[in-house]
């Protein structure tokens, strides 16, 4: 079951008697949580590249080959498939190559991305046998816009989020008059919660078989 | 238990504190001493608001007029505002109206509360808001009036000594009644301490998630002392 911003804030306030809404209003915690969730999301997909995945089907031919195809906002590209037509109908891997290599030989079924626009290598004629490309990507996280929204992370990340907000409140109070709080303990709690969750995420891909693909 | 003490009861008890008190001659009862009793109980409620805000507490439903809600007349210290469905309305500073932009919020200005301008969540312009507050006592208008319904009669002596002090001062505290005055002040302070203690421990099984030491944000201003600090360091 997903967890909400509201319950994350509630649980963070449980961590110290002085973490009340008068000192740190919900809105401040909401913004901090959004910053942290985005950061944590990227760290998570770094460890498990398919933790989040969406497919964008790009029909071919493109309306304007030279203009390319504007991609949705994405965190990073995971891979793609070119679907071909005719008697040769089969699927091929689609590769993204650096812009600088766009004219390199053997750039078959490849494209490059410039400012969020996908351009296909070669000429329009090179793509006549292809009917579409499936572009697999990790989407940008959909950050909450309201306190009742869900946090866009798996349940296991809840304690990392809670302890991050607790550390944030402790640090915030340490910057101002009032009861000083030892931030080190809260920082340690947060760091270990974050590390534990990232280890948990990394386990997801542990059993995957990998192989080295020859490139020529 | 219903309060039965009248203003007159307090005055009689105050007169009896000194053989030098002559009822009705040092101070008029129905105007002067009535006001003294009122001020004394006002003061007691004011300091109670700091020690135990919910002790002499009340609520008032205020109807919005064009997104403006008047501060309840008897509110000594407001500690909670709710919409009719129980949703809390946050009070934010007038110069930081977006402080709780995700929640219904109001700011206070000139003893009126205004919608903070967070359009999607603010209370409706004519909504009724319920204010919870530490209350001031009811106004006394006659010597036969009973004291405020929430008053604790076990602390009547606090009011009695306040009146007795007033009489002693007015009757020449500088000379003949100085000793008596000091004794009365001491006694008044002891009763005030007793009342403060009661306010602290009246309900001792309260559980809190946070705010065991309660602090309040005030609008009090302090000067920026940066330059003073630099100079002090020289």
């Amino acid at each position: 079951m997903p967890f909400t911003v509201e319950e994350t804030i509630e649980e963070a306030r449980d961590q110290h008697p002085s973490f009340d809404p008068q000192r740190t209003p919900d809105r401040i915690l909401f913004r901090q949580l959004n910053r942290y969730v985005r950061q944590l999301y990227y760290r998570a997909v770094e460890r498990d590249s398919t933790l989040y995945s969406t497919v964008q089907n790009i029909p071919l031919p493109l309306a304007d080959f030279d203009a390319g195809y504007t991609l949705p906002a994405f965190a990073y590209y995971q891979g793609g498939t070119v679907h071909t037509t005719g008697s040769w109908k089969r699927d091929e891997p689609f590769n993204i190559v650096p812009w600088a290599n766009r004219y390199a030989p053997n750039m078959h079924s490849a494209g490059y991305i410039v400012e969020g626009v996908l351009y296909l290598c070669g000429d329009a004629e090179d793509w006549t046998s292809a009917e579409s490309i499936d572009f697999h990507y990790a989407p940008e996280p959909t950050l909450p816009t309201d306190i009742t929204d869900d946090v866009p992370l798996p349940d296991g990340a809840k304690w990392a989020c809670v302890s991050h907000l607790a550390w944030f409140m402790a640090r915030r109070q340490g910057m101002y008059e009032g009861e000083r709080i030892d931030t080190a303990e809260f920082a340690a709690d947060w760091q270990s919660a974050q590390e534990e969750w990232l280890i948990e995420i990394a386990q997801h891909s542990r059993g995957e078989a990998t192989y080295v693909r020859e490139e020529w | 238990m219903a309060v039965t003490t009248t203003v007159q009861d307090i005055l009689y008890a105050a007169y009896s504190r000194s053989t030098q008190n002559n009822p009705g001659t040092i101070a008029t009862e129905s105007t002067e001493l009535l006001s003294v009793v009122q001020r004394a109980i006002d003061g007691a409620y004011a300091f109670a608001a700091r020690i135990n805000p919910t002790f002499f507490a009340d609520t008032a439903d205020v109807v919005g007029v064009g997104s403006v809600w008047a501060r309840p007349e008897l509110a000594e210290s407001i500690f909670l505002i709710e919409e009719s469905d129980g949703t809390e309305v946050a009070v934010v500073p007038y110069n930081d109206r977006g402080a709780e932009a995700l929640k219904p919020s109001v700011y206070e200005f000139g003893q009126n509360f205004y919608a903070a301008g967070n359009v999607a969540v603010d209370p409706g312009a004519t909504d009724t808001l319920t204010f919870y507050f530490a209350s001031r006592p009811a106004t006394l208008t006659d010597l036969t009036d009973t004291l405020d319904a929430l008053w604790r009669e076990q602390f009547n002596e606090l009011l009695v000594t306040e009146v007795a002090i007033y009489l002693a001062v007015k009757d020449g505290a500088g000379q003949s009644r100085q000793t008596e005055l000091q004794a009365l002040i001491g006694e008044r302070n002891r009763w005030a301490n007793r009342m403060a203690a009661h306010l602290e421990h009246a309900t001792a099984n309260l559980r809190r998630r946070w705010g065991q030491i309660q602090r309040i944000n005030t609008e009090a201003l302090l000067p920026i002392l940066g330059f003073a600090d630099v100079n002090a360091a020289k």
Side-chain angles (χ1 to χ4, degrees), chain A residues 9-82:
Chain A
I9 291 174
E10 282 269 307
E11 287 191 36
R13 293 197 190 286
D14 289 348
Q15 307 306 311
H16 194 277
S18 69
F19 291 168
D20 59 43
Q22 282 175 291
R23 286 182 174 87
T24 311
D26 283 355
R27 190 194 182 194
I28 292 173
L29 296 175
F30 175 84
R31 283 200 290 228
Q32 180 64 23
L33 184 62
N34 265 4
R35 283 191 287 270
Y36 178 62
V37 163
R38 188 177 162 80
Q39 205 177 64
L40 195 54
Y41 176 95
Y42 274 90
R43 288 194 173 194
V45 292
E46 187 183 51
R47 282 164 175 75
D48 177 3
S49 60
T50 53
L51 184 64
Y52 297 96
S53 187
T54 301
V55 183
Q56 176 72 29
N57 182 263
I58 304 168
L60 297 177
L62 296 177
D64 181 344
F65 186 85
D66 293 335
Y69 181 88
T70 303
L71 295 167
F74 63 96
Y76 79 99
Y77 172 65
Q78 292 166 329
T81 309
V82 179

